[in-house]
Amino acid sequence: MQFLVVIETQKVKSYLFASPIMRETRGGSVLLDLLNRRETEELVKRSAPSGFEKIYLGGGSGRILFEKEEEARAFKDKVLSLYRRRTTNARVAVEVVERRGDESFPDWMRRAVGETQRNKLGRVEGVPILAGRWIRPCTSCSSEPAEEMRTEHGLHLLCSSCLLKRIEVMNLYDDIKRVSKEFRPTDNLKPLLKPANELAALYTEEFIFTTLARRNEEEGFRVFLPQDFNDIGDRSLPPNYLGFIYADGNRMGEVVKHLAEVFRDEESAKQAYKAFSRIIDEATRQAAVDAVMAEVDLGSEKGWYRSIPVEFIMAGGDDLMLIVPAQNALDVAASFVERFQVRTLDLQEEYVEGEELSTIFAPHGLTTSAGVVIAHAHYPVSDLMSQARDLMKLAKKKSAVAARIDTGSDEVIETGTIDFMVLPESVSEPAKDRRTREYTHEAPGSHNRGRRVSLTERPYTAEGVKKLLLTIRELKRSSVPRTKLKALYSALFRGTMQAQFDSLVLLERLKSSGDLKQGSVLEDLVRSLDRFPFRINPYPDTQAVLTTP
């Protein structure tokens, strides 16, 4: 097996969010998963009479070994043709890389992936719209010429790409039923998800909707999915808002390099690479479904049916894109980050016990970080994805530093981190720039020249997010006047010294009125801030000298 075929789906977000309509986004996600996990595997079985070895297929990528070069190259052509035929314009890069004489298995893998990223041979351009009275643009994506008229959900003129997505998404459903108005008063039509066994047969057992259906069937329920983003907004507090979560594994490239150091011989390295790929894929799906089931307000249950106001846009490999009701977004993100780390450790132990892995390679589990954006349901989803991705990148930078501080030792036990932002209106400014402009100012004193005061402590660890949410909820339930809390917030924007003075005056008033009770959540908060309302920054390798929650 000297020829490695590497498959990498390119520009996934552009394909998924070409249309702002949920049906097309869901259909695109389902179609890519079907092509990647099932149809590509069926294709390789027909293309390699001399034999092949699957290292991994899933999460938008693939690694397959071939004995003969001509069979590998024929398979490559068939994959490109498959994606072009089934999606019209999804982009996939496929490379055939021959192994060098003295090359180790991990080095071969790294070089092949690098070739795929550099050449992007699978680039497929969309068909441009031609001018003329008989050419109409697609009413879904508005970027390609319409080819067919569809009448479900109103009249739509669809291009070939959106049409294929629309057809595929219907394969998910057992039926579209009129259900109780408890689920949505204004429009009580809901798509009913197929049973788990049917989804596994049609797609795979590793498909995110198979995981969701099976998890609910274990509790005796069938699943209704949201019809559009407004369905999620209707179940949010405040109404018509939603939370977009974008999570990605931390330093997965470094983990792959670490595998090469731990597993030296050919067979154990190959085994470890297969196990690593399956572990992160399974942990992402299971942690996502478990977090949703634990944290999302599922509302009333009717008979054997359960309406779940969540959209799994992507859940494969170490990538997760998820839309949930606004009030549940941070809880789901924190739960997912924690569950992912625990699950990756549990799976390593299971693989070792089942002799599918010779030894554990990440003794504290693997970690992931997430960006969360809370915005109006009518906000363009592609823009939410971009903002959430920027926040996720900010969270990743803090994960290793936060781990070292939290453990209080020189050993770095990495943990996942979460950054978040509320968007009350449409913005195009990057999250980092906006935060620098709104939430930082110069630290006082000549000895702090060039250093900053940060009016936020984001990103947080998952544990930090849970503590933040608990504090906020306890303050809402307490007798502390809301006007005093708002005054404390507004004081922060008057400069560091003035903020400290105004905040201490507020504390004295709260003490005299009896609202600052001993042992209360507000007193705990005050005591935790060593320069109230600020704290000396616990992360000394950053530019901020003071921070505040």
Side-chain angles (χ1 to χ4, degrees):
M1 301 287 179
Q2 294 298 302
F3 297 92
L4 172 64
V5 175
V6 178
I7 303 169
E8 292 288 348
T9 310
Q10 307 280 354
K11 304 285 186 183
V12 175
K13 286 83 176 179
S14 300
Y15 176 73
L16 293 180
F17 300 119
S19 166
I21 299 174
M22 179 192 276
R23 289 183 292 277
E24 272 69 275
T25 300
R26 182 183 290 165
S29 176
V30 171
L31 189 52
L32 288 183
D33 207 284
L34 174 66
L35 291 174
N36 186 220
R37 294 186 190 275
R38 178 176 288 277
E39 295 196 14
T40 300
E41 183 160 359
E42 293 173 353
L43 196 63
V44 72
K45 290 175 182 176
R46 299 194 299 268
S47 304
S50 301
F52 70 94
E53 182 176 359
K54 182 183 78 171
I55 302 299
Y56 176 66
L57 269 175
S61 61
R63 315 281 187 269
I64 304 170
L65 299 177
F66 285 80
E67 183 178 339
K68 293 187 177 180
E69 182 177 11
E70 59 268 25
E71 292 180 1
R73 296 201 176 278
F75 171 67
K76 168 189 168 179
D77 293 339
K78 289 177 182 177
V79 171
L80 292 173
S81 176
L82 173 69
Y83 273 77
R84 193 172 293 115
R85 185 180 74 254
R86 296 281 275 117
T87 71
T88 301
N89 59 1
R91 300 179 182 185
V92 61
V94 188
E95 282 290 339
V96 179
V97 181
E98 185 177 5
R99 189 172 188 174
R100 294 168 180 165
D102 57 347
E103 194 170 31
S104 71
F105 184 80
D107 288 343
W108 185 24
M109 286 284 172
R110 270 198 302 274
R111 182 168 63 87
V113 172
E115 288 285 325
T116 311
Q117 293 173 344
R118 183 163 53 249
N119 293 334
K120 297 182 180 178
L121 295 180
R123 182 181 175 92
V124 179
E125 297 289 351
V127 180
I129 296 179
L130 304 175
R133 62 181 297 184
W134 305 114
I135 301 296
R136 293 284 301 276
C138 173
T139 56
S140 181
C141 69
S142 303
S143 61
E144 297 189 23
E147 294 190 8
E148 187 168 323
M149 182 184 297
R150 303 285 286 201
T151 55
E152 73 268 17
H153 313 296
L155 180 66
H156 284 283
L157 304 174
L158 300 178
C159 66
S160 58
S161 177
C162 291
L163 177 63
L164 290 168
K165 294 175 184 178
R166 181 75 64 92
I167 292 171
E168 189 57 50
V169 78
M170 297 303 293
N171 292 331
L172 271 183
Y173 308 145
D174 209 16
D175 196 3
I176 296 182
K177 293 192 173 186
R178 186 169 295 279
V179 297
S180 167
K181 291 189 177 183
E182 291 176 40
F183 295 130
R184 187 182 175 196
T186 57
D187 179 5
N188 57 8
L189 289 175
K190 288 285 184 187
L192 178 65
L193 189 63
K194 277 185 166 72
N197 288 339
E198 290 186 29
L199 290 169
L202 184 61
Y203 300 100
T204 63
E205 190 64 46
E206 292 76 30
F207 182 43
I208 182 60
F209 285 107
T210 308
T211 306
L212 178 67
R214 199 169 297 288
R215 173 76 163 74
N216 281 273
E217 286 169 18
E218 289 171 358
E219 299 178 11
F221 291 97
R222 296 285 302 281
V223 174
F224 282 117
L225 297 176
Q227 182 87 311
D228 53 37
F229 295 122
N230 287 331
D231 278 356
I232 302 176
D234 287 347
R235 299 278 287 273
S236 288
L237 295 173
N240 299 321
Y241 275 74
L242 47 77
F244 191 109
I245 301 170
Y246 191 144
D248 187 57
N250 291 325
R251 284 167 281 284
M252 291 298 167
E254 294 178 19
V255 176
V256 172
K257 291 179 183 177
H258 178 63
L259 294 179
E261 298 169 1
V262 175
F263 305 94
R264 297 283 186 175
D265 63 278
E266 176 88 4
E267 286 307 311
S268 67
K270 192 183 295 183
Q271 185 185 55
Y273 197 93
K274 291 179 180 179
F276 164 72
S277 300
R278 293 201 301 268
I279 284 169
I280 60 172
D281 184 70
E282 186 174 345
T284 297
R285 287 184 290 103
Q286 290 183 351
V289 170
D290 288 347
V292 164
M293 299 304 298
E295 305 296 342
V296 171
D297 302 326
L298 299 179
S300 302
E301 292 161 351
K302 186 74 173 177
W304 300 107
Y305 300 102
R306 177 182 276 165
S307 180
I308 300 182
V310 168
E311 178 63 12
F312 292 91
I313 294 175
M314 179 188 294
D318 63 335
D319 289 316
L320 175 71
M321 281 193 283
L322 184 63
I323 296 179
V324 299
Q327 73 274 18
N328 305 130
L330 284 172
D331 295 283
V332 171
S335 180
F336 169 75
V337 167
E338 288 188 329
R339 290 170 188 271
F340 178 87
Q341 186 164 1
V342 171
R343 191 68 188 125
T344 53
L345 179 56
D346 291 344
L347 285 170
Q348 288 178 81
E349 293 172 349
E350 290 176 19
Y351 276 55
V352 170
E353 186 177 343
E355 298 183 351
E356 296 180 80
L357 189 64
S358 58
T359 186
I360 289 174
F361 55 83
H364 301 294
L366 301 169
T367 66
T368 185
S369 291
V372 181
V373 176
I374 296 172
H376 198 277
H378 293 154
Y379 201 103
V381 181
S382 58
D383 290 346
L384 289 182
M385 182 274 297
S386 298
Q387 293 283 349
R389 180 188 57 199
D390 290 346
L391 291 168
M392 177 265 293
K393 290 177 180 178
L394 293 176
K396 277 175 172 285
K397 291 180 180 179
K398 192 171 182 178
S399 60
V401 179
R404 184 167 62 251
I405 299 299
D406 288 348
T407 58
S409 67
D410 293 333
E411 181 188 12
V412 177
I413 301 176
E414 190 173 329
T415 184
T417 45
I418 299 163
D419 205 342
F420 63 91
M421 181 179 286
V422 178
L423 296 179
E425 57 188 20
S426 180
V427 296
S428 58
E429 187 178 21
K432 184 178 180 181
D433 294 347
R434 185 181 182 195
R435 188 166 295 165
T436 300
R437 176 174 56 80
E438 293 185 358
Y439 290 162
T440 65
H441 54 74
E442 289 287 340
S446 58
H447 61 291
N448 282 323
R449 192 178 304 278
R451 303 192 72 184
R452 313 287 289 178
V453 173
S454 175
L455 304 186
T456 179
E457 294 190 330
R458 291 172 272 181
Y460 287 92
T461 62
E463 184 62 33
V465 166
K466 290 166 69 176
K467 184 177 179 181
L468 176 72
L469 292 172
L470 178 64
T471 302
I472 291 169
R473 288 163 181 162
E474 288 295 326
L475 282 172
K476 283 189 173 184
R477 283 193 288 265
S478 72
S479 60
V480 180
R482 190 66 59 88
T483 54
K484 295 291 192 293
L485 293 177
K486 289 182 177 179
L488 187 61
Y489 175 79
S490 61
L492 295 173
F493 295 89
R494 296 175 189 152
T496 306
M497 301 301 290
Q498 189 65 43
Q500 288 179 274
F501 176 80
D502 291 348
S503 300
L504 291 171
V505 170
L506 272 170
L507 283 186
E508 291 304 316
R509 290 177 178 169
L510 287 168
K511 286 178 184 177
S512 63
S513 64
D515 291 315
L516 187 60
K517 298 181 177 66
Q518 188 172 2
S520 67
V521 65
L522 181 58
E523 193 207 29
D524 289 343
L525 176 62
V526 171
R527 288 164 65 90
S528 71
L529 301 175
D530 41 25
R531 196 171 293 180
F532 188 79
F534 301 99
R535 92 170 90 231
I536 299 172
N537 186 11
Y539 303 103
D541 55 347
T542 62
Q543 284 294 309
V545 62
L546 295 175
T547 67
T548 176

